[in-house]
Amino acid sequence: MKKLAIITTHPIQYYAPIFRLLHQRNKIDVKVFYTAGDQGADTYDPGFGKSISWDVPLLDGYPFEWAVNTAAKPGSHHFSGIQNPCLIERIDNYRPDALLVFGWAYQSHLKVLRHYHNRLPVYFRGDSTLLDEKGLLKPLLKKWFLRWVYRHIDHAFYTGTENKRYFKQYDLLENQLTFAPHAVDNSRFAEDRSAEADALRSRFGIKPNSILILFAGKLEPKKDPMLLQSAFLDLGQKNIHLLFAGNGFLEANLKSQVSNLKSANIHFIDFQNQTQMPVLYQACDLFCLPSKGPGETWGLAVNEAMACGRAVLISNKVGSAIDLVRPGINGYIFKSGNLNHLREKLEHLTTDKRMLSQFGKKSAELIKTWNFTAITLAIEKLIAKENPNLMRSRL
């Protein structure tokens, strides 16, 4: 059986199920090397402004190792935050037939790419896009550097249209690219939590015939929740509510803006863990992600909302927009930072609760093929093509 070494920073709720499924299917042997070091149960998230302990299993059902991280300031938020002097030795001890590296912008990950180039097939997973490209000089320098980085990669798994365009910009060819969609646990989000959702609506005094718009995520500038609140206030309709679910830098600003508005119908709830997120989505009628970037490479909350059968309204700076939103079918896309355009779409979408319900049903249909199985099959298919004798001869 061929062996695949997976190199990634830390356990993530969107990736662990892929590793588990690869191991359970037993088509290839997998081992995950976590490079940020054993961070324990709680990890401080600067975006939420608090320590996060996910309430879904992230380390069950697949083999893994913690690589000792010797960085002076450890963390996956900067290049020098991940340094693993023994990582290559640990990988060699596993004797893989191929590598799959998640992200290059860490000292150890780039070292791994360079070391195994022309020794083993090197696969890559990232979700960057070109949506935030501005100016001329910086993009030219970036293009030169990234072309050099991606010369060390044999094949990339792209998450969607914008990500594929990014890889092609940096000289990866069509035959070096395989579609492996960004995904969430669709079945978990689709599970009926309507009773809890109704209770949540009642908690905030939201009547069954009222429309609830949901923002769920970090209250930070790149996601632009302030724009959404401003557009909502302009609507001035009594049967529409807005719920912000999350914490972050802009939380105080958002609350202060409406502190004196008794009938604003704007509500706030703290960060909700993974098992509670389906309740939030199922409580709403419309999910809105108004991000302006930079760095909203995909927006997996859109997948989650769609898996819960909800209409979506997202900005054109969200990486998933072109793939997941069918304007007039399951939602709309608006121009980021444009208050009038967002307000226009909100006005249209909140005129008819039945229309939102139909949009939500279409969302649930569209998201079905964006699943963990599709990612797993893409990985298995590619590694099956590799000649094991050739791979061993590279070592």
Side-chain angles (χ1 to χ4, degrees):
M1 187 182 298
K2 292 180 181 178
K3 301 170 72 173
L4 177 68
I6 300 172
I7 292 84
T8 189
T9 55
H10 59 285
I12 296 174
Q13 67 270 29
Y14 303 116
Y15 295 156
I18 303 169
F19 308 153
R20 189 177 300 121
L21 188 56
L22 283 167
H23 181 66
Q24 289 173 349
R25 285 172 56 83
N26 202 33
K27 303 293 184 182
I28 56 176
D29 191 304
V30 297
K31 188 169 191 176
V32 180
F33 294 83
Y34 284 117
T35 59
D38 187 349
Q39 300 175 6
D42 297 332
T43 302
Y44 182 78
D45 190 309
F48 283 120
K50 59 173 63 179
S51 292
I52 301 298
S53 178
W54 299 110
D55 62 356
V56 291
L58 300 181
L59 294 172
D60 295 351
Y62 63 92
F64 67 90
E65 284 189 28
W66 297 106
V68 176
N69 184 9
T70 62
K73 295 181 178 180
S76 57
H77 59 287
H78 64 116
F79 181 80
S80 300
I82 295 180
Q83 300 179 28
N84 315 108
C86 297
L87 179 59
I88 289 174
E89 179 184 351
R90 300 283 286 276
I91 294 171
D92 284 345
N93 288 341
Y94 175 57
R95 290 186 59 78
D97 295 299
L99 274 73
L100 172 56
V101 181
F102 282 70
W104 63 264
Y106 312 105
Q107 183 172 313
S108 279
H109 289 214
L110 188 55
K111 183 179 179 181
V112 165
L113 293 178
R114 297 180 67 188
H115 177 82
Y116 287 102
H117 179 53
N118 288 331
R119 287 185 169 94
L120 285 177
V122 177
Y123 308 150
F124 184 79
R125 176 73 160 179
D127 60 3
S128 296
T129 73
L130 302 173
L131 292 174
D132 300 315
E133 294 291 319
K134 293 181 180 179
L136 181 62
L137 182 59
K138 187 175 181 180
L140 284 175
L141 292 172
K142 182 179 178 181
K143 187 172 185 178
W144 172 84
F145 176 71
L146 288 178
R147 280 176 170 172
W148 173 79
V149 169
Y150 290 124
R151 284 195 207 111
H152 300 91
I153 292 167
D154 296 299
H155 206 96
F157 295 101
Y158 67 91
T159 59
T161 301
E162 295 292 353
N163 184 220
K164 183 178 184 180
R165 190 162 68 91
Y166 166 88
F167 283 129
K168 285 194 166 185
Q169 171 77 0
Y170 299 117
D171 290 350
L172 271 72
L173 304 177
E174 186 71 30
N175 63 5
Q176 292 179 283
L177 298 170
T178 294
F179 178 50
H182 246 328
V184 301
D185 189 345
N186 289 341
S187 59
R188 181 167 66 83
F189 283 94
E191 182 182 345
D192 184 13
R193 306 284 293 275
S194 56
E196 294 165 273
D198 290 343
L200 180 64
R201 289 174 67 101
S202 296
R203 170 181 167 186
F204 291 109
I206 304 170
K207 297 178 180 179
N209 63 337
S210 294
I211 290 174
L212 174 60
I213 303 165
L214 172 68
F215 172 99
K218 298 173 183 177
L219 301 177
E220 59 183 355
K222 87 169 185 179
K223 293 187 181 294
D224 212 2
M226 298 294 292
L227 184 77
L228 174 58
Q229 180 159 277
S230 296
F232 178 83
L233 289 172
D234 286 348
L235 294 178
Q237 298 184 40
K238 294 182 179 180
N239 67 328
I240 304 173
H241 293 252
L242 172 61
L243 174 61
F244 287 104
N247 301 99
F249 176 75
L250 294 177
E251 183 177 354
N253 290 346
L254 288 162
K255 290 180 176 179
S256 65
Q257 189 180 48
V258 297
S259 59
N260 295 322
L261 301 176
K262 294 182 180 179
S263 60
N265 287 351
I266 296 178
H267 318 281
F268 295 88
I269 189 172
D270 286 339
F271 162 85
Q272 300 293 294
N273 220 314
Q274 280 292 293
T275 57
Q276 283 301 112
M277 289 306 297
V279 176
L280 276 177
Y281 293 119
Q282 292 181 34
C284 81
D285 301 282
L286 172 66
F287 174 74
C288 185
L289 183 59
S291 302
K292 63 181 178 181
E296 191 66 270
T297 54
W298 185 261
L300 280 160
V302 181
N303 294 61
E304 294 174 346
M306 289 176 63
C308 287
R310 293 302 177 259
V312 291
L313 172 61
I314 66 179
S315 85
N316 61 344
K317 288 287 187 176
V318 178
S320 63
I322 192 171
D323 293 298
L324 298 186
V325 181
R326 302 288 185 271
I329 303 297
N330 74 315
Y332 285 99
I333 302 168
F334 74 93
K335 186 176 181 181
S336 71
N338 190 316
L339 178 63
N340 291 333
H341 199 206
L342 173 55
R343 182 174 58 241
E344 173 190 319
K345 295 303 181 187
L346 284 174
E347 286 176 345
H348 174 64
L349 285 164
T350 55
T351 57
D352 189 347
K353 191 177 174 77
R354 290 173 299 177
M355 176 181 67
L356 290 175
S357 178
Q358 290 301 313
F359 280 12
K361 290 177 182 177
K362 194 62 180 180
S363 283
E365 293 175 15
L366 291 169
I367 206 64
K368 283 181 179 179
T369 57
W370 296 72
N371 56 51
F372 294 138
T373 300
I375 304 171
T376 302
L377 291 173
I379 294 170
E380 290 174 348
K381 184 176 180 180
L382 182 61
I383 197 170
K385 290 181 179 179
E386 299 288 354
N387 184 326
N389 294 324
L390 174 60
M391 289 190 285
R392 289 299 182 192
S393 68
R394 292 180 179 182
L395 290 171

